[in-house]
Amino acid sequence: MKHELPVPAHVVDLISELQEAGYESYIVGGAIRDLLLGRRPKDFDISTSATPEEVRSVFGRRSARIIGKRFRLVHVTWCGELFEVSTFRQAPEHGGANAKKDLPENLILSDNSFGTAEEDAWRRDFTVNALFFDPVKSELIDFTGQGIEDIQNRVVRAIGNPGLRFEEDPVRMLRALKLIGQYDFTMESATENALFSHLELIRVASPSRLALELEKILASSYGDKHFQAFHDYGLLPYFLPELNNAWDTPHGDYALNLLNERNCRVREGVYRNSISLAMATLALPFVEKGLGRNPGELWEPGPDSTAAIRGVLDTLFKPQTMMNRMTLSAERVLILQPLFGDEQARERLIEAKSYPHSRELLLIRTAVAEGDSAEMERLWPPVSSRRRSGGKRERGESGGNGPRRRRRGGRSRRERGEKGKGE
Ligand code: ATP
Ligand code: MG
């Protein structure tokens, strides 16, 4: 059906480019869901009839790179932005091979057969995630016939047999609960019953995909809401048992309040959504507790507290494995916290590589404790004067609202093909 959606011009151009080369192409998934909900999508996923090689030849090798092992897709750089372009795929068949590997029989291990746009819609997880939009013709396609209505009613409904869909890919349970937490959706009853009876399957989900989901949750500005939904539905003990154990305790409440404050600041555009800052924010009360402090009572700097910080970062995010780089960065942010109370450490602190994120955590703490961080903002400059005048900054520690730098060289976990989609 005809529908107007506010798609940025460069995204329309990208789709046109593929269509002019003769390939059926749409914006799919979360972006359409978000636009219909009146929200700004965080990115635009593209689906097309072109194979990965054909996509690459449309955009050229310099702009398009084929990635992925589990499923192949193309990263296209277009107008300075990175887009994921995937080829229509069909639902995979369940093989008998899993029995040999002692895995649940319906678990999908490989998912790479190309298909039509309609087949591609049906193999997606939820009706609200299966809408296709052609921004050139302004045409919205609801192949399942239920997606638009479910968005209007804010309902999460699995496509097909919910139990089977969760058996095929247990990460879908987590994805359903993210929709509940983030958008205040409710779950359709068959989907909800299946989720309750399949929760334990999360244990057989791919560890790298779960870790990637955790990264996405921490990178988003809704982590506290996601965790709340995981807790309400009983998934949190499997996903982050330490956080679950602290639920409804003074330290656990404080941790969620801090994360909520950080998220509000990200949504208001005050902060860049750094994963390591989110890790440090959530971990701070656990460090205080480990060192025998009350919530909001910092510790003395020194080797004991450094060991406690390491210990907390090692256990809080288990069984998920966070990237070392992020854990180290969170550790540095936490180590600096007590120095904000020490006038003599001021110069050293301001010059530290992790100062910008550490300052952000200071402001978050102050806002939660006192309701306002304006005075601290005046006391502590966003960056040191040396850095302002062009001194060297640590990579990925730009802090505040600074422009996001483009990574050069080195391939991320995402690009190595360990993408977080069950696609
Ligand atoms: P977000 O706003 O977090 O990006 P999203 O729904 O777009 O939400 P993605 O991980 O970007 O999430 O996935 C894009 C689309 O791919 C989804 O909307 C859904 O249609 C499909 N998809 C992702 N993961 C799965 C899965 N595990 N099983 C089936 N379809 C999936
Ligand atoms: Mg998406």
Side-chain angles (χ1 to χ4, degrees):
M1 70 182 206
K2 284 278 172 207
H3 205 290
E4 292 301 326
L5 286 175
V7 176
H10 68 293
V11 184
V12 183
D13 289 346
L14 190 159
I15 298 270
S16 292
E17 197 81 6
L18 283 163
Q19 291 184 349
E20 277 164 24
Y23 303 108
E24 194 182 349
S25 305
Y26 304 95
I27 304 171
V28 291
I32 302 307
R33 176 196 70 217
D34 289 352
L35 287 172
L36 287 169
L37 288 168
R39 302 197 181 205
R40 192 154 60 100
K42 71 176 164 40
D43 49 30
F44 288 85
D45 294 318
I46 314 287
S47 237
T48 177
S49 60
T51 63
E53 287 73 17
E54 286 166 343
V55 173
R56 191 172 55 188
S57 61
V58 171
F59 295 101
R61 279 174 185 273
R62 289 189 56 201
S63 312
R65 194 145 62 123
I66 299 178
I67 61 146
K69 275 187 290 197
R70 184 183 151 91
F71 53 90
R72 293 162 72 235
L73 49 89
V74 191
H75 272 175
V76 175
T77 307
W78 182 259
C79 297
E81 215 180 293
L82 191 70
F83 291 87
E84 288 189 348
V85 181
S86 57
T87 307
F88 301 143
R89 291 201 306 280
Q90 50 181 273
E93 285 177 20
H94 305 117
N98 290 0
K100 280 189 225 136
K101 296 183 190 146
D102 211 12
L103 290 170
E105 93 180 286
N106 292 325
L107 187 75
I108 297 173
L109 297 179
S110 144
D111 174 8
N112 245 334
S113 337
F114 296 144
T116 62
E118 174 151 13
E119 285 168 331
D120 192 73
W122 285 100
R123 57 117 204 143
R124 288 174 185 269
D125 47 7
F126 305 108
T127 54
V128 294
N129 282 347
L131 292 162
F132 284 45
F133 183 65
D134 178 339
V136 179
K137 300 196 195 73
S138 295
E139 192 164 3
L140 181 64
I141 311 179
D142 185 358
F143 286 112
T144 71
Q146 188 73 49
I148 296 175
E149 192 184 319
D150 283 344
I151 289 200
Q152 279 160 354
N153 298 330
R154 305 175 91 83
V155 168
V156 181
R157 182 191 309 269
I159 296 177
N161 175 332
L164 179 61
R165 300 311 307 278
F166 292 146
E167 284 165 23
E168 287 173 348
D169 180 4
V171 176
R172 289 177 185 148
M173 293 188 278
L174 198 127
R175 292 178 52 82
L177 294 177
K178 282 172 68 181
L179 292 170
I180 303 279
Q182 182 161 341
Y183 300 96
D184 264 343
F185 279 16
T186 52
M187 213 179 293
E188 173 272 328
S189 62
T191 306
E192 187 170 72
N193 290 336
L195 184 132
F196 283 131
S197 57
H198 286 80
L199 274 180
E200 281 199 26
L201 271 188
I202 206 76
R203 294 210 174 103
V204 298
S206 139
S208 66
R209 293 203 32 236
L210 288 175
L212 209 70
E213 283 297 338
L214 179 56
E215 279 171 24
K216 280 169 56 175
I217 290 168
L218 292 171
S220 81
S221 55
Y222 295 94
D224 53 321
K225 297 190 166 50
H226 294 147
F227 294 146
Q228 180 73 51
F230 294 177
H231 177 263
D232 293 347
Y233 280 80
L235 183 105
L236 199 59
Y238 302 101
F239 189 60
L240 290 179
E242 285 286 313
L243 183 61
N244 189 66
N245 292 339
W247 210 263
D248 281 339
T249 67
H251 287 92
D253 288 348
Y254 182 40
L256 290 174
N257 285 342
L258 290 175
L259 188 61
N260 175 262
E261 176 64 29
R262 173 267 188 187
N263 289 339
C264 291
R265 287 169 175 252
V266 172
R267 287 202 291 274
E268 284 160 13
V270 183
Y271 292 165
R272 212 162 52 86
N273 48 358
S274 141
I275 296 176
S276 58
L277 177 61
M279 288 172 75
T281 305
L282 195 64
L284 179 107
F286 291 83
V287 178
E288 289 174 343
K289 178 156 192 281
L291 291 164
R293 303 292 199 276
N294 289 321
E297 243 177 44
L298 286 177
W299 53 88
E300 296 294 320
D304 286 353
S305 58
T306 303
I309 289 168
R310 276 197 196 132
V312 165
L313 290 170
D314 273 352
T315 52
L316 180 59
F317 300 101
K318 281 222 158 70
Q320 317 313 334
T321 23
M322 303 304 290
M323 279 192 245
N324 271 344
R325 171 172 64 82
M326 289 173 191
T327 308
L328 281 174
S329 172
E331 182 181 314
R332 286 196 296 262
V333 169
L334 285 165
I335 287 174
L336 294 185
Q337 289 311 300
L339 299 187
F340 283 99
D342 176 358
E343 245 326 290
Q344 291 185 341
R346 184 178 170 90
E347 276 311 297
R348 184 158 54 96
L349 185 52
I350 294 184
E351 294 306 327
K353 285 177 181 171
S354 309
Y355 170 74
H357 276 8
S358 301
R359 174 183 181 268
E360 287 174 10
L361 183 50
L362 165 78
L363 300 182
I364 291 168
R365 289 196 278 118
T366 313
V368 168
E370 295 164 20
D372 182 11
S373 61
E375 196 185 328
M376 282 296 171
E377 279 176 55
R378 272 196 306 277
L379 274 175
W380 295 95
V383 283
S384 77
S385 50
R386 188 161 62 89
R387 278 155 202 255
R388 257 200 307 262
S389 61
K392 206 173 151 220
R393 268 185 182 183
E394 185 183 359
R395 232 173 91 150
E397 293 281 352
S398 61
N401 263 340
R404 209 181 276 225
R405 256 165 302 163
R406 199 163 295 286
R407 187 174 43 73
R408 280 191 222 123
R411 300 204 307 153
S412 68
R413 174 145 86 188
R414 238 176 130 80
E415 287 174 334
R416 291 199 307 270
E418 297 169 40
K419 194 166 173 291
K421 294 181 190 176
E423 310 190 73

